[in-house]
Amino acid sequence: RKEVEQDPGPFNVPEGATVAFNCTYSNSASQSFFWYRQDCRKEPKLLMSVYSSGNEDGRFTAQLNRASQYISLLIRDSKLSDSATYLCVVNSRRSNSGYALNFGKGTSLLVTP
Amino acid sequence: EPEVTQTPSHQVTQMGQEVILRCVPISNHLYFYWYRQILGQKVEFLVSFYNNEISEKSEIFDDQFSVERPDGSNFTLKIRSTKLEDSAMYFCASSHPGQGSEQYFGPGTRLTVT
């Protein structure tokens, strides 16, 4: 089973739409969760951390369900500039003192006029 | 806003050659990382580095790879004898200490092995 799984999409939505992405992770000991966005051939850019209580940043809302090992991202009032690949990322402690980010393969979003 | 920088942006090398990829992490960060992304695939963890030593490495990070912090600002990834399958984007990242700390990525070096 993949450590972080996402629906690859693509999601094609009109401007102004609300879109939701889901993600599941397999390591129940995972401690930290993030959404990154990645534009074509660019670096991943941190969108937001995800907290157990859920958190919101403007048009973006993230939720975490530890019991189900499920993370979601909701984008309201989509803009053309939201078109990108959204990466679900889980920070898991490894065998020693270090941490490593485990990335999902990403969900592609295209917002159209 | 502080950012991670990487050089070169694109490196072309012949199979069997050594390459060094360079990164300047955010100045007050203490953890440094290398990741790679083969075209069309997910971002994969290679190694983390803290307090002048490797704190964690993945199965990908074998004997052909090494990392170094040669001075107070640079963080390098060396690939000793490149293979065709090393062709990928290599991203450097840095963070504050702590499991919840957010990692910030540099723009990447595109490595092409011919």
Side-chain angles (χ1 to χ4, degrees), chain A residues 6 11 15 29 48 50 59 64 75 79 91 97 108 110:
Chain A
Q6 298 181 249
F11 284 60
E15 265 186 295
M48 59 197 302
V50 187
R59 298 181 293 109
L64 167 65
I75 306 175
K79 312 289 184 196
N91 196 352
S97 60
S108 175
L110 178 63

Side-chain angles (χ1 to χ4, degrees), chain A residues 64-78:
Chain A
L64 167 65
N65 184 324
R66 285 187 185 269
S68 305
Q69 294 177 208
Y70 172 92
I71 308 162
S72 66
L73 176 69
L74 184 78
I75 306 175
R76 289 181 299 279
D77 188 23
S78 300

Side-chain angles (χ1 to χ4, degrees), chain B residues 58-70:
Chain B
S58 72
E59 303 75 24
I60 303 168
F61 194 88
D62 60 22
D63 292 344
Q64 69 164 327
F65 292 94
S66 62
V67 289
E68 194 178 30
R69 187 154 163 83

Side-chain angles (χ1 to χ4, degrees), chain A residues 31-32 34 36 38 41-44 46 48-49 51 87 91 94-101 103-105, chain B residues 31 33 35 37 39-40 42-43 45 55-59 91 99-107 110:
Chain A
Q31 297 295 321
S32 315
F34 309 92
Y36 281 74
Q38 187 175 31
R41 294 179 176 257
K42 299 285 190 182
E43 74 272 26
L46 179 67
M48 59 197 302
S49 301
Y51 304 116
L87 308 176
N91 196 352
R94 295 169 69 96
S95 58
N96 298 321
S97 60
Y99 298 91
L101 296 183
F103 282 78
K105 204 169 174 188
Chain B
Y31 268 92
Y33 311 84
Y35 293 82
Q37 186 175 31
L39 189 63
K42 67 174 187 174
V43 177
F45 169 74
S55 54
E56 196 59 62
K57 60 182 181 179
S58 72
E59 303 75 24
F91 295 110
Q99 65 184 20
S101 291
E102 298 157 342
Q103 294 183 24
Y104 294 89
F105 285 72
R110 179 167 300 283

Side-chain angles (χ1 to χ4, degrees), chain A:
Chain A
R1 182 181 172 186
K2 293 177 188 169
E3 290 201 47
V4 181
E5 291 206 60
Q6 298 181 249
D7 180 346
F11 284 60
N12 292 334
V13 302
E15 265 186 295
T18 295
V19 61
F21 304 136
N22 303 317
C23 167
T24 57
Y25 61 95
S26 60
N27 185 348
S28 59
S30 298
Q31 297 295 321
S32 315
F33 310 89
F34 309 92
W35 284 100
Y36 281 74
R37 69 170 278 168
Q38 187 175 31
D39 294 285
C40 189
R41 294 179 176 257
K42 299 285 190 182
E43 74 272 26
K45 288 196 169 160
L46 179 67
L47 185 64
M48 59 197 302
S49 301
V50 187
Y51 304 116
S52 296
S53 54
N55 49 300
E56 188 174 304
D57 183 1
R59 298 181 293 109
F60 300 86
T61 300
Q63 296 278 352
L64 167 65
N65 184 324
R66 285 187 185 269
S68 305
Q69 294 177 208
Y70 172 92
I71 308 162
S72 66
L73 176 69
L74 184 78
I75 306 175
R76 289 181 299 279
D77 188 23
S78 300
K79 312 289 184 196
L80 296 177
S81 56
D82 293 335
S83 298
T85 298
Y86 288 82
L87 308 176
C88 178
V89 183
V90 174
N91 196 352
S92 302
R93 183 162 190 163
R94 295 169 69 96
S95 58
N96 298 321
S97 60
Y99 298 91
L101 296 183
N102 287 308
F103 282 78
K105 204 169 174 188
T107 300
S108 175
L109 172 66
L110 178 63
V111 182
T112 56

Side-chain angles (χ1 to χ4, degrees), chain B residues 3-71:
Chain B
E3 57 184 22
V4 177
T5 60
Q6 290 185 244
T7 54
S9 56
H10 190 191
Q11 173 93 45
V12 181
T13 190
Q14 288 191 321
M15 196 167 55
Q17 296 297 303
E18 176 183 286
V19 294
I20 298 176
L21 311 183
R22 291 183 165 82
C23 168
V24 179
I26 294 172
S27 61
N28 62 350
H29 285 180
L30 299 179
Y31 268 92
F32 315 118
Y33 311 84
W34 284 101
Y35 293 82
R36 79 171 186 190
Q37 186 175 31
I38 295 170
L39 189 63
Q41 298 189 23
K42 67 174 187 174
V43 177
E44 299 173 291
F45 169 74
L46 292 178
V47 66
S48 60
F49 191 86
Y50 171 68
N51 202 24
N52 282 321
E53 59 183 23
I54 291 174
S55 54
E56 196 59 62
K57 60 182 181 179
S58 72
E59 303 75 24
I60 303 168
F61 194 88
D62 60 22
D63 292 344
Q64 69 164 327
F65 292 94
S66 62
V67 289
E68 194 178 30
R69 187 154 163 83
D71 54 45

